Amino acid sequence: LSRGLGDVYKRQVHQGDNVTLHFADVQGVHYVITVDGVGSFSVSRGQIHTVSFIADKVGTINYYSAQRMPNMVGQIWVLPKTA
């Protein structure tokens, strides 16, 4: 999964899938990204931060930057594992 500033990104995955998100800051100052259930991390201009995790619970995983609301917001919908 990949997303740029200004995009509201929604993606579906299945329980047990490996998820990778790439966050890039191409304009502006340092900001903090929070990924529910995973943690928070900072990104500075010119940096790309990658976070990977297993979507182990059915539900919604939100990610956002409080400093960049409403532009830096996304959701990952975790659906039940398929047979």
Side-chain angles (χ1 to χ4, degrees):
L1 299 174
S2 182
R3 137 192 228 307
L5 290 175
D7 296 336
V8 175
Y9 194 86
K10 296 180 181 179
R11 175 72 180 177
Q12 293 181 357
V13 298
H14 287 95
Q15 185 178 21
D17 285 353
N18 191 8
V19 177
T20 299
L21 301 172
H22 304 282
F23 297 93
D25 185 1
V26 295
Q27 46 174 291
V29 297
H30 161 92
Y31 62 96
V32 176
I33 298 286
T34 300
V35 180
D36 290 348
V38 177
S40 296
F41 52 88
S42 60
V43 179
S44 296
R45 186 176 188 159
Q47 287 186 323
I48 297 173
H49 185 89
T50 300
V51 61
S52 295
F53 58 93
I54 295 175
D56 57 352
K57 296 178 184 171
V58 172
T60 301
I61 299 169
N62 295 296
Y63 59 90
Y64 58 90
S65 172
Q67 297 100 330
R68 302 276 178 129
M69 295 290 255
N71 293 331
M72 180 60 89
V73 177
Q75 292 184 324
I76 301 166
W77 298 324
V78 183
L79 305 175
K81 189 184 290 187
T82 57

